[in-house]
Amino acid sequence: MKLILLGAPGAGKGTQAEILSRMCKVPTISTGNILRAAMKNKTPVGIRAKEYVDSGKLVPDDVIIGIVRERLAEDDCKNGYILDGMPRTIPQAQALEEVGIDVDWALSLEVPDETIIERLGGRRVCKDCGATYHVVSSPPKTEGVCDTCGGKVCIRKDDAPETISHRLEIYHRETAPLKDFYETRGKLKSVGNMNTVDETTKAIVGALGL
Ligand code: AP5
């Protein structure tokens, strides 16, 4: 299973990537998580990425391509992987092809902008392990405390309302054209908006024939 998850910020890529990763026993490679960890550890990549990530802009392609090439060369990716959040631009997709990184499918989660704004407005994340919650649809058992590691659950900096609209604008301009890119290669699958995480997983399983 070599899968790309496409979709607007907040479409549920990270949530579904974790579920599919357990189901298919392949790792998830989330460029967002890698960048946030690098920022937390103040590595050179993290320092370079911070101003972009915090303001909802895309990190330059060369940084992302370098991170993903390195990660995909690791042993655990031999039998497949789920790419969450990469590629996000046509040059990133071309760079994957140029170095021979192939995928079975690019699956697009189609969620309307109004729903995205509601989801990201209610999203909470664990500061320590990155587990994702939503104040209405999937709150932690104890408010403010991560079910998984006991860490502090808080609002992601780039989920501020003005940053959400900026991220959506960038998605429509830079990332949505990837649907045509994969469609022309016969690799695009789409799943419409579902009201729950479980229903979305079922729709993906059906679309990919898992
Ligand atoms: P990244 O972390 O990838 O953020 P994103 O794409 O904006 O996606 P999100 O993590 O915000 O949302 P998601 O689709 O994973 O949704 P989630 O599952 O959390 O990237 C962050 C930043 O890093 C970028 O802005 C950029 O600066 C940089 N970056 C990363 N990759 C890059 C690249 N390739 N190139 C350049 N820059 C890059 O779900 C959202 C909420 O909804 C949660 O609360 C969840 O519980 C809830 N939810 C999910 N599904 C459902 C459902 N079906 N029903 C109800 N609630 C649901």
Side-chain angles (χ1 to χ4, degrees), residues 6-17 30-33 35-36 39 49-61 64-65 68 84-89 92 109 111 115-116 118-125 132-135 137-138 156 158-159 163 167 170-171 193-201:
L6 295 175
K13 304 180 296 297
T15 303
Q16 295 301 326
S30 157
T31 40
N33 286 348
L35 291 169
R36 281 184 288 278
M39 283 158 56
K50 187 171 169 39
E51 63 160 295
Y52 296 97
V53 174
D54 284 351
S55 60
K57 291 185 193 137
L58 293 183
V59 172
D61 287 340
I64 298 294
I65 292 162
V68 172
D84 161 21
M86 198 282 180
R88 236 178 174 97
T89 62
Q92 289 181 16
L109 294 172
V111 180
T115 310
I116 293 292
E118 185 278 317
R119 282 195 194 164
L120 290 184
R123 175 165 63 182
R124 300 292 181 268
V125 291
T132 300
Y133 300 92
H134 188 275
V135 286
S137 60
S138 53
R156 231 167 79 172
D158 57 346
D159 282 346
T163 314
R167 286 163 67 200
I170 293 179
Y171 166 75
N193 181 44
M194 304 286 157
N195 287 328
T196 67
V197 170
D198 281 355
E199 283 174 60
T200 309
T201 307

